[in-house]
Amino acid sequence: MTIPTSDRHRATRWVPSWIRSAGRIALSPRARSDALHEWRRRSRGEPELDAAAIRRVLVICHGNICRSPFAGRLLAARTPDLEVRSAGLEAVEGRPAEDAALRAALAFGVDLAGHSAHRMNAEDAAWADLILGMEGHHIAGVERAWPIGKGKTFSLGDFLERPPHRIDDPWGREDAFFQLTFDRIGRATDRLAERLRRGR
């Protein structure tokens, strides 16, 4: 017998949220990577960095139109002695920054006008001394596609003081969500920049 969709929807409302979350993790490789990274970050603490060896930083996200261009430009402003670029694992080359990202970035003094999305490639992975993703599956994706990224790829959210350390994608969301996301990126970037400056 087929259960009508409306009945199935009503039934799932009574399933505890932790069971629904566990179900998503079990079904999605990305969700598993994100959950594993969050667990590792909470158990191991903030990553160790050899700041003196870091000269080139690549900041990545999914499409390179929201999180990574903002984080990249903010980090470049905070650490002018570093060369900072941004890219997306699934970026469409040449796409401009999302309108909501433009508005949110300006509140932090960052101008994303003229940004052009770039899809990460093997040359980027080799070029960077440090690669910063936004979610656990970004790290897994880099290490799977470009083994040279292993050991130098972390999450920018790893440098947030408190969990969760994942920085969710604001694409398609309201401006308020962009503001909250960019505030978390700003706090993580400030702490990372201070770590890098102290290590010089």
Side-chain angles (χ1 to χ4, degrees), residues 9 19-20 40 43 66 70 85 89 92 97 99-100 112 180 199:
H9 177 70
I19 292 179
R20 290 198 300 271
R40 285 175 174 166
S43 61
C66 299
F70 170 65
R85 299 178 184 172
L89 291 175
V92 176
D99 287 345
L112 296 181
L180 289 171

Side-chain angles (χ1 to χ4, degrees), residues 117-181:
H118 169 66
R119 191 181 184 107
M120 186 178 175
N121 57 41
E123 289 75 17
D124 297 319
W127 171 85
D129 301 315
L130 174 66
I131 302 171
L132 298 166
M134 301 289 162
E135 303 173 66
H137 69 267
H138 295 158
I139 299 164
V142 168
E143 293 179 347
R144 183 169 55 251
W146 304 287
I148 195 171
K150 192 171 181 62
K152 63 178 182 179
T153 305
F154 303 95
S155 169
L156 177 62
D158 287 344
F159 300 94
L160 287 167
E161 291 185 80
R162 293 181 296 278
H165 300 284
R166 168 180 169 163
I167 299 176
D168 288 319
D169 193 350
W171 184 80
R173 304 289 294 273
E174 66 280 1
D175 281 16
F177 191 84
F178 270 84
Q179 289 288 338
L180 289 171
T181 301

Side-chain angles (χ1 to χ4, degrees), residues 14-84:
W14 302 106
V15 177
S17 61
W18 69 269
I19 292 179
R20 290 198 300 271
S21 296
R24 285 193 296 271
I25 291 169
L27 292 174
S28 166
R30 286 186 174 188
R32 285 197 298 273
S33 293
D34 291 341
L36 179 60
H37 182 80
E38 186 74 18
W39 175 80
R40 285 175 174 166
R41 168 60 180 85
R42 293 188 193 199
S43 61
R44 297 176 183 177
E46 199 169 288
E48 294 292 329
L49 294 177
D50 182 3
I54 296 172
R55 291 288 180 268
R56 297 182 298 271
V57 181
L58 180 69
V59 186
I60 63 168
C61 64
H62 180 78
N64 192 219
I65 58 172
C66 299
R67 294 169 291 178
S68 59
F70 170 65
R73 292 195 181 183
L74 188 62
L75 182 61
R78 299 287 193 267
T79 55
D81 58 323
L82 297 180
E83 187 175 353
V84 184

Side-chain angles (χ1 to χ4, degrees), residues 168-199:
D168 288 319
D169 193 350
W171 184 80
R173 304 289 294 273
E174 66 280 1
D175 281 16
F177 191 84
F178 270 84
Q179 289 288 338
L180 289 171
T181 301
F182 280 24
D183 180 66
R184 297 185 74 231
I185 288 173
R187 286 187 280 118
T189 300
D190 285 346
R191 291 193 77 239
L192 171 61
E194 179 59 28
R195 284 274 307 274
L196 294 173
R197 285 192 296 267
R198 285 202 315 264

